[in-house]
Amino acid sequence: MTAPLATPPVPAERDGGSYDVVIIGAGFSGIGAAHRIAERNPGVRYVVLERRDRIGGTWDLFRYPGVRSDSSIFSLSWPWEPWTRKEGVADGDHIREYMEDTAHKRGIFENIHFRTHVDSADWDSATDTWTVHATENGAPTVFRSRFVFFGSGYYNYDAGYTPEFPGLETFQGTRVHPQFWPEDLDYTGKKVIVIGSGATAVSLIPALAQKASKVTMLQRSPTYLLAGSRVNPLIELVRKLTPRKISHAFARYFAVAFETIVWFLARTAPDLARKLIRAQNAKELPAGYAVDVHFKPHYNVWDQRLCLVADGDLFEAIKSGRAEVVTDHIDHFDQTGITLKSGQHLDADIIVTATGLQLHALGGVRISLDGNEIKPQERFSYKAHMLEDVPNLIWCIGYTNASWTLRADMTARSAAKLIAHMRSRGYTHAFPHLGGEPIAEKPAWDIQASYVLRNLHALPKSGLKRPWVVRQNYLADAFDHHFVDKIDEDMTFGRVANPARVAG
């Protein structure tokens, strides 16, 4: 008789502590939430759970050469912590340094648990508490809180997107996705192909071209590119003449105004926007360059995200001959490179698949209410930061047409306001409720980018009218936030008879 196999013991969860708020993610969203919540609610106990070794989120994950902000750092930085460097387009390492310095300065750093991967969060309506299950430094750990704030972004950190290219595995050179750039990758004197023409490729190619023998941007179709200066002379003048707090506010509003004008022009006068961008591209490129082949997209401006070319560096790399653009479709990979549908063969030592991200709701964390799992994608989003019938949960999602932090800061302030309102009235739970009437819906992101179109329903749903609509309009949202918003609109508040004390 064979003895049954022994079941390995399940390690007991360590007690990570009880808090008022558990914040997931130590990027722009999470650090901003920690500051705003503590600022409005003195004495609140919070913890930030960060799966990586350092602060930064996106700006720690992406370490490829040339990584930089693809919108103005003055609108990407926090309004409450001035950006002190002169560059308006900032390099990734400087952005991460700014974030870490701010976390130390504001007393947030000591509340961060690094190497802590959140697996699930379960709401208990008997005590009105969240139980967050995580793995901290390899050990199962449980955290309890009244509120959970998801600052974990919108894409899968563990897997980028690479299409199933025929023959991909036969390529004998080095293949890399920008999301997982090897720190020891030496591209000096190498022939490099970058597949893609989005923001990653546009910032990566000029950096590679400084050392590589040749860099080729291989694209199926063009992207709208707009050249802009890293340093704005007007903003620099104002910064020299006014105190830092005033100049930072000016730079922020200037950046917001410029980005809004470009977006408004693109949506209301697409033909004019297209002509202006084409004229700038033609001026930046060599005389006689095939602009309409390589830089004339088939869609309107801002149907997909407009890419910024800092100081025109990509155009400079093309003019110098260090970089080239090829617009074609891939037929197959082989041992030495890529054969295109046209029959042309591109030789390569290194191939970079800058082919996009994979959308991911709430960091892929399993959410359950009283033991019953829910799917965030099946719930409507309320004011772009709460989920239908889910208590005490805040999720942060940025804009597709403006800096992430614009909405992230609005979300953090809304969370802080809600917590203060509930604490002052003794409420222990709050959730938005639609009622019995069905509402029309649309995807939360209506941009036509490939990473969105591949998975339209990866994020929570959006209605068509406030407070259930997810808009891509910062000015409308800001007006709503300051002058229209009512904290009890479509909200249900309550308290349990004997609420558990979740923060000691």
Side-chain angles (χ1 to χ4, degrees):
M1 181 175 180
T2 303
L5 294 174
T7 302
V10 177
E13 289 183 306
R14 297 187 310 186
D15 185 3
S18 296
Y19 303 87
D20 295 301
V21 189
V22 165
I23 298 170
I24 301 171
F28 269 115
S29 303
I31 300 298
H35 171 76
R36 288 297 195 186
I37 290 171
E39 176 187 51
R40 180 146 187 169
N41 300 272
V44 72
R45 291 196 69 226
Y46 70 86
V47 64
V48 182
L49 308 182
E50 170 55 51
R51 65 179 296 184
R52 302 180 64 76
D53 296 329
R54 307 192 304 180
I55 280 174
T58 293
W59 301 104
D60 182 53
L61 175 67
F62 287 106
R63 302 186 186 186
Y64 59 82
V67 60
R68 64 195 182 203
S69 60
D70 62 347
S71 57
S72 171
I73 189 60
F74 295 112
S75 57
L76 181 63
S77 58
W78 293 294
W80 42 269
E81 185 62 37
W83 174 261
T84 58
R85 297 181 64 90
K86 66 180 182 179
E87 301 93 346
V89 180
D91 292 335
D93 56 346
H94 294 149
I95 296 174
R96 206 200 66 80
E97 289 171 6
Y98 160 80
M99 298 169 74
E100 183 160 0
D101 289 346
T102 299
H104 282 288
K105 177 181 177 181
R106 299 285 179 163
I108 297 168
F109 191 87
E110 55 262 35
N111 297 307
I112 303 174
H113 288 223
F114 293 102
R115 296 174 291 280
T116 304
H117 185 203
V118 176
D119 304 303
S120 64
D122 183 65
W123 171 260
D124 177 18
S125 59
T127 58
D128 278 359
T129 60
W130 283 102
T131 300
V132 176
H133 300 274
T135 303
E136 183 175 16
N137 292 311
T141 308
V142 62
F143 301 84
R144 292 179 177 83
S145 66
R146 183 75 70 214
F147 300 88
V148 174
F149 186 104
F150 279 85
S152 47
Y154 65 99
Y155 61 88
N156 190 335
Y157 272 39
D158 297 320
Y161 175 74
T162 301
E164 295 183 2
F165 294 119
L168 182 62
E169 300 302 324
T170 66
F171 177 61
Q172 293 187 348
T174 301
R175 180 163 48 91
V176 60
H177 192 286
Q179 193 167 324
F180 310 103
W181 194 270
E183 293 185 8
D184 60 350
L185 179 61
D186 183 11
Y187 50 90
T188 304
K190 303 291 181 64
K191 291 175 286 186
V192 184
I193 297 175
V194 178
I195 304 173
S197 57
T200 298
V202 168
S203 57
L204 175 62
I205 289 169
L208 294 177
Q210 294 177 17
K211 295 182 180 180
S213 65
K214 182 179 181 181
V215 183
T216 300
M217 182 168 80
L218 174 58
Q219 59 180 10
R220 290 181 304 175
S221 58
T223 298
Y224 284 108
L225 308 182
L226 184 66
S229 299
R230 281 182 176 266
V231 179
N232 185 302
L234 175 60
I235 290 176
E236 274 304 287
L237 177 62
V238 172
R239 296 176 84 185
K240 290 178 181 178
L241 298 177
T242 61
R244 181 170 291 172
K245 187 174 180 180
I246 294 174
S247 65
H248 182 64
F250 172 82
R252 183 176 178 82
Y253 290 128
F254 183 93
V256 170
F258 177 78
E259 291 166 2
T260 301
I261 289 169
V262 171
W263 180 79
F264 182 78
L265 176 65
R267 306 318 289 170
T268 57
D271 290 341
L272 176 60
R274 187 184 299 113
K275 289 177 182 178
L276 290 173
I277 292 174
R278 187 199 180 281
Q280 189 208 55
N281 291 174
K283 182 180 178 181
E284 294 279 347
L285 290 162
Y289 190 86
V291 178
D292 291 334
V293 175
H294 303 303
F295 293 95
K296 185 179 180 181
H298 58 80
Y299 55 87
N300 286 330
V301 184
W302 269 120
D303 282 352
Q304 297 185 26
R305 192 172 178 91
L306 178 63
C307 291
L308 175 66
V309 181
D311 287 341
D313 56 4
L314 175 64
F315 300 125
E316 286 295 327
I318 293 171
K319 282 194 292 186
S320 70
R322 292 179 287 112
E324 68 169 350
V325 180
V326 174
T327 304
D328 205 333
H329 286 71
I330 294 172
D331 185 78
H332 65 274
F333 282 65
D334 55 33
Q335 293 182 346
T336 60
I338 299 174
T339 298
L340 305 175
K341 294 287 187 182
S342 64
Q344 181 183 2
H345 187 272
L346 301 177
D347 293 332
D349 301 303
I350 301 170
I351 294 177
V352 181
T353 53
T355 45
L357 309 166
Q358 302 221 50
L359 290 183
H360 214 35
L362 277 64
V365 174
R366 179 184 180 274
I367 307 295
S368 59
L369 305 181
D370 295 323
N372 299 310
E373 184 176 1
I374 68 155
K375 301 294 184 184
Q377 302 90 336
E378 297 173 357
R379 303 283 172 135
F380 277 93
S381 178
Y382 171 83
K383 296 182 182 178
H385 68 261
M386 293 189 78
L387 296 180
E388 168 198 1
D389 293 331
V390 180
N392 297 15
L393 183 147
I394 312 293
W395 73 296
C396 187
I397 191 77
Y399 291 105
T400 59
N401 58 5
S403 291
W404 178 274
T405 317
L406 294 176
R407 179 178 274 154
D409 187 62
M410 212 178 305
T411 296
R413 284 182 288 158
S414 295
K417 179 181 177 182
L418 175 64
I419 291 169
H421 177 84
M422 292 174 62
R423 294 177 84 194
S424 67
R425 289 161 176 78
Y427 293 131
T428 55
H429 67 255
F431 57 86
H433 183 63
L434 264 173
E437 294 296 323
I439 64 171
E441 66 177 88
K442 72 177 185 69
W445 282 1
D446 49 13
I447 196 169
Q448 301 300 301
S450 296
Y451 67 91
V452 175
L453 296 178
R454 282 194 299 269
N455 198 348
L456 273 175
H457 302 290
L459 301 177
K461 297 185 291 187
S462 169
L464 302 181
K465 297 180 180 179
R466 64 167 312 281
W468 297 96
V469 61
V470 179
R471 292 181 293 211
Q472 302 301 327
N473 187 329
Y474 168 68
L475 295 182
D477 283 344
F479 181 86
D480 193 345
H481 177 81
H482 288 290
F483 303 110
V484 179
D485 182 52
K486 295 180 180 179
I487 201 165
D488 59 351
E489 184 178 15
D490 288 356
M491 287 287 288
T492 297
F493 293 92
R495 57 181 67 85
V496 290
N498 297 296
R501 181 173 174 78
V502 294

